[in-house]
Every structure is written in structure tokens, then in C-alpha cells.
């Protein structure tokens, strides 16, 4: 997370991780979600905040989930069905459930399949927002597997040279187990930035960097500037660019990766990409687990992982930089600090919690 | 392929695709390679040139393969062994063979496994350069599967904020079948550009674009400039940057993807990343096939693919651009033109062929 997205200390209210989990669980239950799924989903959101991934924590997403449950757009008690299944794969109809609440069980199915077939792949259609997809990749790493999780959503990212968005931010996440080092853990949109960063930048008053968005005609904006007019994550007419920003810098690569995610999540789940049919847009997900022990010696793998992560962190830095980090290291350090000192939420977010719990007749969110 | 890399017409000698396959096959056989593998490898290289992927065709690679066989660095008649195997996976020791010659059989093993387990994943260590990895992803698409192929090589790409290279260009490729449209086919390095583009730019006298390389201290070079001093693909002290170029533009994403490829190829193959141990650097590969019919209806998948590809190609273009393309479309169009008119090789490349065939006592490469 870039510094520009941090909640300014004067605006921050610190809350304990456990209290955040508790309140979010109660909010989901009040929306009609069974308590086990509610707790799993609360962990997905609160863990994102714990790791410093504010863009995918409670601040941007929870209010929309609550609205969607109350409007009947999401099903709080989905009964998923498996369309097709083999030793290593399953295709699931998510019955309009919320991905955040369904992902843990879907990744566990992939993990269980990988125990037998070496690799397990589960796709899911007709589901809602999945939250921080890296959470589910980490679930596999916690069980000595390499995990990969992908999701796709409604169009807001331009293809290279295009003026109309065709893709969601279609993130790629993966995680792999180590022995003593903090887990290797990657989770990033295939666009230059995740959609929720727009909402965050607007809230904290941060500018957008060169190459992040295109103007309404589709031309990349290559100068720093304020978030365009709009509300929340929406920007009137402007769109996100694929990773690489311009063709010369490699935007065709970000575009191609977004397309790969679209195929793996939507089409392998037997669904229609939202660029073709967005009448009833749902998200589509992909969960994969690779059983390390099926490929090689597990202990040797973890030892080598430790060595590789140490080698990366020991890389001599370029001028102007203190150190080289690897994906997951900052998140690990942030989680330690926030477990001790609480999670800093923007006071506007805490105010939303208070109005939400009051309306639902729940106990107010605890603060430190 | 950017226009800057095209062979200037005045320097080009056109050769027929079949003649190129024939001569390359004979060169491999003269190096001691069995004829079936030689023909498979010649197809990998000549097809890259046919599709306009000069960076991975005969011009950059073949002379190094010939040198490596003659120096004993590569084994022309490897006998691969399977270390571990499950219903959906296999880990192979490539016995110091050349990846270009081994990839077809490895991907076929992944495809055969996917027919039974829904998904098949094969990793290979102790092998040489794999060439254009997309070739093997296409092999899966030709058999109604989604194909993914990855490879990793010796360090030449910096991690974000780093001054010492830790990764190869670690490309990601995938392909997926369509019904009537040209196949969706993506193949790109996780660095801003592929290593071989350096050699190409040097040969055709093209400048390097902003954000492609870092100076010897590790600072991204954000202005256009000539290829730094060096020979072939090597640049004295300068290194490649991960996709995204700078942290603000998203280089941590390219870095993370390179790391994912390193884990999937090297570590899941039971090997040691070259950033730790480059005493005897070999390449490492990953081949995955997803049986579309295991996940969903194959015919519906292909119909939807056609619709998606048509939707992408029909995207209104941004100012200054004629059209939006999708990965594989230009390659398809180029292949049609080159099948008809021959493949344009740089005259310096043809001169190398002539000296090579003369030295090996083979028939001279045919030209149009």
C-alpha cells in the first residue's frame, strides 16, 4: 500500500482486530447470513485491514454488501450446486451468495482435491464480490500448498488502445509456504491500481499518479492529478488502465493478464463475460491449490523458500531506497503492529459502523 | 511486436516456412538430436517467426543452441525421468535437454493427465531454454483445452527498489480455443520487455523506450535512449525492469508475477532458484492444461469465446489508434501473410545459416 493511501493519523480511530471481527460477524448475521459463514467472511475483511490492505478491508466494501443483502441482490443463505466435477476440478453455481462468505469453502474443496490429484481447481459463477483474493491463496499456503485465487468483475478497465472498458480489475493472487520466513503472499489487480484505491484516494485526499487512469476518450493520463469528479470508486467518464499503462510500457501485458483471468474465472465457470452480458452482473472466481508434496519434498521446498525470501530481502537497494521487500513482508509486519496497537479506521468509517449497528440493534464497534 | 523491431525491408531476405523448418531440423539432427525431437523443435522456432515473434524465432536463439550442443552444455539425447507423479501432476528431470525440443512431450503429458483429472500440471527442471512458451499453450488449445506455460531462466530482471537482478524474464503464456475466431493466444515476459528484444533492437538499430531498463545503480531509465554498450542481449551493467517499470506505475506487480513464475517453475520442480544457485544454471518449466469439457460445455465455451473476441476487436479505439486487437490476432494475421510471402529474416541471420550449414555439410537454406 502506497503511503498516499494511509489514513492520516488525525482522522484515524484504532479498533482491536477481534472487536472488528465480532462486529462484522454480527452485521452479516443481522443480514441473514448463517453464523459460520458470517465469521469466515468477517475474517476475510478484518484480516485485510490487519495486513494494511485498507482497499479491501471493511472501509470500502461492507456497506455495499449490507445494501445488497437488504435489496435482495445477494442471497444470504445460498445453496451452491456443483455443475461438473472430476478428480481435480469442480464448477460451482454460487446461487447469488457473497464471495467473501463463500470463498473459504470453495478453496477448501480445491485443497481437498489437490490432496488426491496433486492439483485442485474450483471455479464459481453466480457469486458476489470475493474481497481480497489473496486471503484464499493464503488458506492454501497454511495447508502446505501453493494457492492461486483469481476473480473477475464488471468492466472498468480499458483494453490497450480502447476507449470502452472491457474488464474488471481482475486480480491475481498467490501464496506459498515457507519454513521460518513470513509467507510469500501476492495479491494485485491486473490494472494499474485496484478500483477501491479510487475510493480510498478520494477519502484521504490523495492525488492519482501518472499512468493510472485514462481520460473519457481513452487516452492515458500521464500526469499526476486529483481524482476526477464522481462518487466512491466511480469517476465520471474516466477509466482504469491495464498494468503497464501505455503500449510502449507494456499495457498489452496487463490487458492480456486481465483476459487470462477472465477466461479462468468466468468462462471456465461456464458463464458469460460481463463485457458481453452485464444485465445481471455477478462476479466469477477461480481457486487453485497445488499440493507441494505431490511435486517435491515439502521440507526441502520450505527450506528453499526461506533461502529465496532471504535472498530477495537482502538485495542491495537502488539509490533512494532503504531495502528491497518481497510480497507479503510489509503485510506481515503491519499485521504484527496492528495486532498490538489496533487497526486504524478512518473516523468516517467508524461513523458508518455506529449508524449501521444502531440501525440493526447491535452493540457499538469497540475502539481502543 | 512493436514496429521498432521489424527487420527493415532492405535488410530482409524472405524464406519459406517449410524450408526454414527443414533446415533447422537438419541442424538439430547434425547436433545429435533424434529426428522427431528435431522436427518438433524446428516447428517451435519457425512458428515463432511465422507469427512475427522474431524475438523468439531462429534469429536470436538457434546459434546459441548449436554452440551449447557442441560445447556439451546441453544433452542432445536426454532421457528424462519422472521424480514424482499423481493423477494430475508430474515432476520431470529433463536430463540437460533443450526445452525447445522437450516442451511438446511435456505439454502432451499435462494434456493427457487433464483428460482424466480435469487439470494436468507438469513441471520440469534441469532443462534448457524453452523458446516461445506460447507455442506449448497453443498445443493445449488445439486439443480443446486451456493451456498455460511458464518458464524461468537466469537473473537479469531487478526486483522493485533493487540494484541486483533476481529473476529471469519469467514469461507467462496462455491460450484458449475458439470456434471460428483466431485463437486467443498470450505470451509475454513479466519484465517490461523480453531479453531477446535487446538483441533485436541492437541488430535493427532501434532505441529503447522509457521504463524498459535500469541504469547500473538500479534506477529506472525513464527517457528513450540507445541500447547500452554490450554484445547480443547483454548490456554492460544495465538490467531489465519488471512490468510496471516504477513502484508508482506498478513494478511491484511485475515483480510479484515474476516471483510467482519462479515458484511454479523452479520450486515446484524441486529445484533451486538461480538467484540462490547459478553455478550451473538451467531453465525450469511449467506446463498446465485445463480440459474445458471437465468444467463446462465445450461447444458453449467456444461460442462464448468467439463472442468475447469479437467484442474486444469491436471496442471503439482511443484517439490516434485504428483498432483494438486481442492477444493472438496480429500473430494470426502475420502468419497468413508470411505463409504466402515467406518469412523475412535479417540478411545477417541468413549469413549465419549459410556458414552453419556449410560447416555442418548441409544443404543451404532456401530463399524465395
Amino acid at each position: 500500500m502506497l503511503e498516499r493511501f494511509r489514513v492520516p493519523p488525525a482522522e484515524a480511530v484504532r479498533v482491536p482486530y477481534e472487536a472488528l471481527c465480532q462486529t462484522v460477524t454480527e452485521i452479516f448475521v443481522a443480514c441473514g447470513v448463517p453464523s459460520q459463514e458470517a465469521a469466515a467472511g468477517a475474517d476475510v475483511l478484518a484480516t485485510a485491514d490487519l495486513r494494511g490492505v485498507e482497499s479491501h478491508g471493511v472501509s470500502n466494501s461492507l456497506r455495499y454488501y449490507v445494501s445488497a443483502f437488504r435489496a435482495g441482490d445477494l442471497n444470504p443463505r445460498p445453496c451452491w450446486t456443483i455443475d461438473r466435477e472430476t478428480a481435480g476440478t469442480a464448477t460451482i453455481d454460487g446461487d447469488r451468495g457473497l464471495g467473501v462468505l463463500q470463498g473459504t469453502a470453495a478453496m477448501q474443496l480445491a485443497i481437498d482435491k489437490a490432496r488426491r490429484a496433486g492439483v485442485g481447481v474450483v471455479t464459481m459463477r453466480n457469486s458476489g464480490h470475493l474481497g481480497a483474493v489473496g486471503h484464499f491463496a493464503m488458506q492454501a499456503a497454511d495447508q502446505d500448498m501453493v494457492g492461486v485465487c483469481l476473480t473477475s468483475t464488471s468492466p472498468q478497465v480499458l483494453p490497450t488502445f480502447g476507449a470502452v472498458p472491457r474488464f474488471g480489475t481482475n486480480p491475481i493472487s498467490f501464496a506459498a509456504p515457507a519454513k521460518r520466513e513470513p509467507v510469500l503472499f501476492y495479491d494485485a489487480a491486473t490494472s494499474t491500481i485496484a478500483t477501491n484505491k479510487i475510493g480510498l484516494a478520494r477519502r484521504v485526499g490523495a492525488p492519482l499518479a501518472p499512468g493510472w487512469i485514462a481520460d473519457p476518450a481513452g487516452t492515458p493520463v500521464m500526469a499526476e492529478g486529483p481524482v476526477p469528479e464522481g462518487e466512491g470508486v466511480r469517476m465520471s467518464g474516466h477509466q482504469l488502465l491495464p498494468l503497464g499503462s501505455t503500449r510502449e510500457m507494456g499495457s498489452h501485458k496487463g490487458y492480456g493478464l486481465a483476459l487470462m483471468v477472465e477466461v479462468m474465472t468466468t468462462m471456465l465457470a461456464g458463464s458469460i463475460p460481463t463485457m458481453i452480458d452485464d444485465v445481471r452482473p455477478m462476479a466469477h472466481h477461480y481457486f487453485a491449490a497445488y499440493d507441494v508434496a505431490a511435486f517435491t519434498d515439502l521440507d526441502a521446498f520450505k527450506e528453499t523458500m526461506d533461502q529465496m525470501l532471504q535472498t530477495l530481502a537482502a538485495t542491495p537497494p537502488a539509490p533512494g531506497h532503504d531495502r528491497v521487500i518481497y510480497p507479503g513482508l510489509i503485510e506481515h509486519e503491519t499485521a504484527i503492529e496492528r495486532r498490538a496497537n489496533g487497526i486504524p479506521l478512518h473516523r468516517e468509517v467508524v461513523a458508518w459502523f455506529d449508524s449501521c449497528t444502531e440501525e440493526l440493534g447491535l452493540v457499538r464497534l469497540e475502539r481502543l
Side-chain angles (χ1 to χ4, degrees), chain A:
Chain A
M1 173 86 35
L2 292 169
E3 278 306 315
R4 69 176 65 204
F5 290 129
R6 293 271 173 242
V7 176
E11 307 286 329
V13 178
R14 293 244 172 196
V15 303
Y17 165 74
E18 292 75 13
L20 191 58
C21 279
Q22 180 65 29
T23 297
V24 174
T25 300
E26 288 173 7
I27 290 173
F28 278 137
V29 168
C31 292
V33 175
S35 56
Q36 191 180 336
E37 284 82 353
D43 185 50
V44 173
L45 294 176
T47 302
D49 281 309
L50 189 72
R51 291 178 180 146
V53 189
E54 277 87 348
S55 57
H56 288 74
V58 298
S59 68
N60 273 302
S61 310
L62 188 58
R63 66 191 74 189
Y64 296 109
Y65 302 157
V66 171
S67 302
F69 279 126
R70 301 179 110 187
D73 294 335
L74 287 174
N75 179 359
R77 292 181 173 267
C79 183
W80 81 24
T81 49
I82 295 182
D83 289 341
R84 295 200 180 190
E85 189 167 20
T86 69
T89 66
T91 310
I92 296 173
D93 180 330
D95 193 24
R96 292 191 306 115
L98 175 62
V100 168
L101 306 169
Q102 297 181 300
T104 304
M107 179 54 98
Q108 196 56 48
L109 180 58
I111 291 168
D112 293 345
K113 286 183 173 291
R115 286 259 179 261
R116 291 189 297 275
V119 57
V121 174
V122 170
T123 59
M124 184 183 279
R125 62 189 167 81
N126 202 22
S127 172
H129 190 240
L130 192 56
V133 290
H135 189 91
F136 308 105
M138 282 286 268
Q139 182 183 340
D142 288 342
Q143 296 178 55
D144 288 335
M145 300 211 171
V146 174
V148 175
C149 184
L150 317 170
T151 191
S152 62
T153 53
S154 299
Q156 53 208 311
V157 180
L158 300 175
T160 299
F161 299 158
V164 173
R166 295 299 193 205
F167 300 103
T169 53
N170 292 13
I172 295 174
S173 70
F174 88 104
K179 198 158 189 174
R180 289 167 298 269
E181 295 296 313
V183 169
L184 173 59
F185 163 55
Y186 172 83
D187 179 354
T190 52
S191 51
T192 48
I193 53 166
T195 314
N196 281 345
K197 295 241 165 54
I198 300 295
L200 264 186
R202 199 187 299 283
R203 184 176 303 119
V204 302
L208 301 184
W212 283 4
I213 61 171
D215 70 18
T219 301
V221 176
M222 298 308 289
E224 182 169 285
V227 182
E229 289 290 304
E231 194 182 327
V233 301
R234 280 178 285 275
M235 303 173 289
S236 59
H238 293 67
Q239 305 291 348
L240 296 177
L241 288 166
L243 174 60
S245 304
T246 66
R247 172 62 182 82
E248 289 248 305
M249 301 267 287
S251 70
H252 58 301
K253 301 188 182 199
Y255 165 25
L257 292 169
L259 192 46
M260 181 172 73
V261 172
E262 194 73 31
V263 170
M264 296 297 190
T265 55
T266 305
M267 293 192 54
L268 273 189
S271 191
I272 310 284
T274 42
M275 78 177 82
I276 299 173
D277 174 15
D278 62 354
V279 174
R280 193 185 174 195
M282 297 297 288
H284 304 88
H285 322 308
Y286 166 104
F287 307 86
Y290 298 75
D291 185 7
V292 172
F295 288 89
T296 187
D297 182 78
L298 175 63
D299 196 64
F301 179 98
K302 289 177 160 185
E303 284 283 0
T304 303
M305 181 62 75
D306 276 359
Q307 278 185 58
M308 180 171 75
L309 298 179
Q310 288 159 2
T311 302
L312 287 170
T315 304
H321 300 289
D322 295 333
R323 62 168 178 162
V324 172
I325 55 179
Y326 63 78
L329 187 55
I330 293 285
E331 290 83 351
H332 173 81
E333 294 170 354
T334 304
I336 290 173
E337 187 273 323
R338 292 187 173 188
R339 265 195 195 280
N341 304 320
I343 295 168
L345 296 182
H346 196 286
R347 59 181 179 168
E348 184 265 332
V349 174
V350 174
W352 175 83
F353 266 100
D354 289 347
S355 68
C356 182
T357 51
E358 184 178 348
E359 193 181 346
L360 297 171
L362 304 173
V363 175
R364 203 180 77 143
L365 175 64
E366 181 188 333
R367 35 279 244 175
L368 286 171

